[in-house]
Amino acid sequence: MKTVFVTVGTTSFDELIERITSSDALQTLKARGYERLVLQVGRGSVLPTPDSCPNIRLEAFRFKDSIADEMKGADLVISHAGAGSCLEALGAGKPLLVVVNDKLMNNHQMELARQLHADSHSLYCTCSTLTETLRTMDLSVLLPFLPGQPKNFANFLDKALGVQ
Amino acid sequence: MSFLPVVVFVLIFLCFVFLLRLYVVIKTGSKYKPGSKGSVVVLAVAGSGGHTTELLRLMDSLSPSYKPRHYVIADTDKISEEKICTFESSKELRASEPQFTICRVPRSREVHQSWSSSVISTLHALLYSVPLVYKLRPDLVLCNGPGTCVPLCAAGLLLGILGMKKVLIVYVESICRVDSLSVTGRILYPVSDYFFVQWATLRDKYPKAIYLGRIV
């Protein structure tokens, strides 16, 4: 079952949750073949119930110790611009759409989201363009995000410190 | 009456000696090769959430020559402690005997704390950091951003200035920092021996920084 996982991390992002559960966004998802929507809503005040969206299988929760399973089970991850959430989605090898909260401008967390988009690792939109982006997005343009290489760090340090 | 000028002179002289020593300690870091004596004692400063995850990725890459490994966490941080124990117990399967300890210091700066109160709580944390670093005598302090780094690095520098032990300061800026350094990074950039950044934009802005691509 094609699944979309929406995550807002430890913050709240009610506008995103409201947008993604609006009837036109749901129709768009449905038209693109997504049948299940999982929402992690964090501290937000909006916690949709499963029966609030008749056309799609909907699950919502606030927090879990680990969202690794939700990431793994997703065919598309829609995330806030938080670095942790973005890296987790890309690390799991999932297509990522970052929705920027334009009410939180100049947050340093956005540096990474912007760069990931510039390097074609993720798509990028705001709440007001979310439905349009879902309608027109082309996930095949996304480039894989290769994991970092801590070994390079270790080798450098070995050499610098004279470790045999 | 002539007492005061003497005191002032002595104070100025001591400040001068202190700064001169600080300069020497920072400048000679690249010549210090603790690895040649067999093992490198590491003091790793864990922060909260993402910082700890990144730090453990770095620790995981280090060879068994880096031991013992001492972790410092803020005294309010339960999650990091769990993560470190899980990580180290998986490492123990590979190595023979456990080679790590966890030490606690008061948190020096909460996110969004004001600048002036940060200074006071950092001084408070320094009181704990100096005896800790003196006791552990690490060859290097590895840190990647949480506020707790600053007092521990200051304590490490102090040991060097007093000529007791050269403590290398290795700083790795978080992968989240693409085009601006964190507050901790900006403070530690001038005094660190090895300063790593993970994006080319930062390398271009900070000539001393070492860029090896993404390393976490």
Side-chain angles (χ1 to χ4, degrees), chain A residues 97-109:
Chain A
L97 169 59
V98 175
V99 183
V100 169
N101 189 348
D102 32 21
K103 294 187 179 78
L104 291 175
M105 274 302 175
N106 294 324
N107 184 328
H108 86 81
Q109 295 262 342

Side-chain angles (χ1 to χ4, degrees), chain B residues 130-197:
Chain B
V130 172
L132 182 69
V133 175
Y134 179 77
K135 191 183 83 187
L136 298 175
R137 304 213 157 215
D139 293 307
L140 73 85
V141 177
L142 174 64
C143 49
N144 69 344
T148 320
C149 300
V150 178
L152 285 156
C153 291
L157 280 173
L158 192 65
L159 249 61
I161 289 167
L162 297 175
M164 296 198 262
K165 171 98 180 71
K166 169 66 193 176
V167 180
L168 289 170
I169 296 172
V170 179
Y171 185 84
V172 180
E173 186 56 283
S174 166
I175 194 170
C176 308
R177 293 298 181 153
V178 177
D179 43 42
S180 70
L181 289 183
S182 63
V183 175
T184 311
R186 267 176 280 163
I187 294 171
L188 293 179
Y189 177 71
V191 297
S192 55
D193 298 285
Y194 300 100
F195 191 95
F196 294 86
V197 295

